[in-house]
Amino acid sequence: VVSTQSTGSSGINAEYGVPGVNATQLYTTLQACGCGVPETMCKTLVKNFDSRNMQALGFDDYLRCCVTVQTLHKAFTHQQNPDGYIRLDLEGLVTMVIDSRPRPVENLAFD
């Protein structure tokens, strides 16, 4: 779900004049998916997932980012204490990050 207000029907990011999803659009998408990620974090996500250095995520980068955030969000809420915090040791953190990485298609199991 990406707002077409700033992209128009052509899929061009009006703010930068390049195809892709900017931080504001990513924020809107993640909020719609139930991931309470602050907009400032979305700017960081765009910087880190933008493989084209265009200040906007291409389709593959956008999917990778959304899957990673959603997976980490699920892991976080699963381990969350009533006060909203989780406790992780280094092994737990590394496991959570590795588990959040998308697997190549050839490694996926279909039942």
Side-chain angles (χ1 to χ4, degrees):
V1 178
V2 176
S3 170
T4 57
Q5 281 184 337
S6 62
T7 60
S9 60
S10 66
I12 301 297
N13 186 323
E15 187 175 351
Y16 300 108
V18 296
V21 176
N22 66 22
T24 302
Q25 294 165 323
L26 180 63
Y27 173 76
T28 302
T29 300
L30 294 175
Q31 292 300 310
C33 293
C35 297
V37 177
E39 194 164 358
T40 54
M41 175 60 73
C42 290
K43 292 176 183 178
T44 301
L45 289 168
V46 169
K47 285 181 186 177
N48 284 286
F49 282 90
D50 179 16
S51 65
R52 305 173 306 158
N53 296 320
M54 300 288 282
Q55 299 178 337
L57 300 177
F59 185 71
D60 291 344
D61 295 336
Y62 169 75
L63 288 180
R64 218 169 25 92
C65 179
C66 288
V67 168
T68 300
V69 170
Q70 186 177 28
T71 303
L72 289 171
H73 182 264
K74 284 181 183 179
F76 180 84
T77 54
H78 177 71
Q79 298 179 18
Q80 189 172 7
N81 294 328
D83 61 0
Y85 293 92
I86 61 172
R87 294 185 63 111
L88 287 176
D89 57 8
L90 180 59
E91 182 180 350
L93 175 65
V94 170
T95 300
M96 185 184 289
V97 170
I98 289 172
D99 288 347
S100 74
R101 296 176 66 193
R103 293 179 285 166
V105 174
E106 62 269 5
N107 292 338
L108 294 176
F110 295 99
D111 296 325

